[in-house]
Amino acid sequence: MQSPEARRAILSLGTRLGPDVIDAVAKVYDAEQRTLVEQQPATAIDIAYGHHERHKLDIYCPNNAKGNSLPVVLFVHGGGFLKGDKGSVQHWHNTNVGRLCAQAGFVGVVINYRLAPANSWPAGGEDVAAAIGWIKNHIGEYSGDPNRLIVMGTSAGAVHLCTYLQLHPETSDIRGLVLLSGLYGFTPLDERDTYYYGAQELYKERRPLAAISNTALPLLVCCAEFDPARFQNEFIGLMQARLSIHSVIPRAAILSGHNHYSMAMHLGSSDRRLADEVISFVTETCS
């Protein structure tokens, strides 16, 4: 469970977004995450999966992993389309997701991707496809089973996973998706997001609403108690759309005591609620 101290610290930040909030959340989990860095080192770093300088991925395997049968989780970071990084030993943000996966007995893969405004829609979805292609061809070298692949993303990373589905609606390369605090197209476009989507009039045809609403792939969809209202409305919109189309809502979680950034940043800490939900989803979906 979340400690009272962590809940108070995150509660004090409200639903705000910004670098100061990221720094404050990092302070809450820094000690635990640095311990995780020591316990679960990266297996390989900065492997190129494409030609762009940001087409790089890191791999996290369970200690003493053998064979090539482990489930694989590809994690895509957030950053509002304009920033973000897969992390490093010195900067643990996002590496913690790969390390958590390795400790759970999976192969974790964490990627960088091209950023806006230099790279606009559908660059993020194309980069996810390229990373999946690399995994299908090479992850067996790192004990992973390319046929047991789950993709997971937070914020803009969740959007890029949905864009991947737009580009590859009949894909059989992934088993399911874990979406943390994503934007699926149920709310109006924010001005900031035009750097990625282009002009407002292009948003209707470029948003991933139909792809993620219609897909038959298993989903785990999550939002935070202190997510900004837009992200909570997106979560509710997707739940309603899925219920209308499929007559059932997907597996879902509203994580109490967390905000937009701590959704991913706390994974690997002693607060196991979301981690256990993700691990259960991966295990069941890849069985």
Side-chain angles (χ1 to χ4, degrees):
M1 295 294 290
Q2 186 182 37
S3 71
E5 295 79 13
R7 179 174 174 83
R8 284 195 296 270
I10 292 174
L11 175 62
S12 71
L13 300 169
T15 62
R16 294 186 299 113
L17 300 178
D20 63 317
V21 182
I22 295 175
D23 290 344
V25 172
K27 290 179 181 178
V28 173
Y29 296 105
D30 191 65
E32 286 185 291
Q33 296 294 7
R34 292 194 183 281
T35 298
L36 183 60
V37 170
E38 296 174 359
Q39 293 175 342
Q40 193 66 61
T43 304
I45 62 172
D46 289 334
I47 296 177
Y49 68 87
H51 300 297
H52 192 272
E53 62 183 0
R54 282 188 58 88
H55 285 158
K56 298 290 176 65
L57 60 82
D58 297 344
I59 300 175
Y60 300 86
C61 297
N63 295 333
N64 302 315
K66 297 179 180 179
N68 59 354
S69 62
L70 299 180
V72 182
V73 178
L74 167 63
F75 180 70
V76 186
H77 67 75
F81 304 115
L82 304 175
K83 59 182 66 174
D85 188 83
K86 60 184 173 58
S88 63
V89 172
Q90 294 76 26
H91 187 72
W92 57 260
H93 308 176
N94 300 314
T95 76
N96 61 302
V97 180
R99 298 179 202 278
L100 169 71
C101 290
Q103 286 201 333
F106 313 142
V107 177
V109 180
V110 185
I111 69 168
N112 279 345
Y113 53 83
R114 291 172 292 169
L115 301 174
N119 302 278
S120 58
W121 185 94
E126 293 171 341
D127 290 355
V128 169
I132 289 173
W134 187 94
I135 288 170
K136 300 297 284 187
N137 290 325
H138 299 285
I139 205 63
E141 302 166 23
Y142 299 91
S143 301
D145 183 346
N147 296 313
R148 304 174 73 196
L149 173 60
I150 298 293
V151 293
M152 176 177 177
T154 187
S155 194
V159 177
H160 294 326
L161 298 183
C162 298
T163 303
Y164 164 75
L165 283 184
Q166 286 178 280
L167 302 176
H168 304 274
E170 304 299 324
T171 182
S172 60
D173 287 339
I174 63 175
R175 290 283 194 95
L177 302 92
V178 179
L179 305 172
L180 309 181
S181 299
L183 299 171
Y184 314 109
F186 295 93
T187 61
L189 186 68
D190 187 272
E191 188 65 28
R192 168 194 173 103
D193 299 339
T194 60
Y195 289 110
Y196 180 68
Y197 276 111
Q200 291 275 355
E201 56 267 24
L202 296 173
Y203 180 52
K204 186 174 182 179
E205 64 185 68
R206 292 181 171 181
R207 61 185 176 173
L209 187 153
I212 196 60
S213 296
N214 291 323
T215 184
L217 288 167
L219 303 178
L220 170 58
V221 186
C222 309
C223 77
E225 179 183 3
F226 303 119
D227 254 324
R230 181 188 181 195
F231 293 90
Q232 295 182 343
N233 280 321
E234 291 278 351
F235 173 84
I236 293 170
L238 183 55
M239 293 299 102
Q240 183 60 61
R242 297 286 303 186
L243 180 61
S244 298
I245 295 169
H246 302 275
S247 299
V248 64
I249 61 172
R251 192 164 177 168
I254 301 174
L255 198 61
S256 62
H258 283 282
N259 65 20
H260 188 71
Y261 302 116
S262 67
M263 283 286 282
M265 291 173 67
H266 88 284
L267 290 171
S269 75
S270 57
D271 184 352
R272 297 282 309 180
R273 293 171 297 159
L274 181 57
D276 288 344
E277 192 72 40
V278 171
I279 291 167
S280 174
F281 177 80
V282 174
T283 301
E284 293 177 15
T285 306
C286 291
S287 63

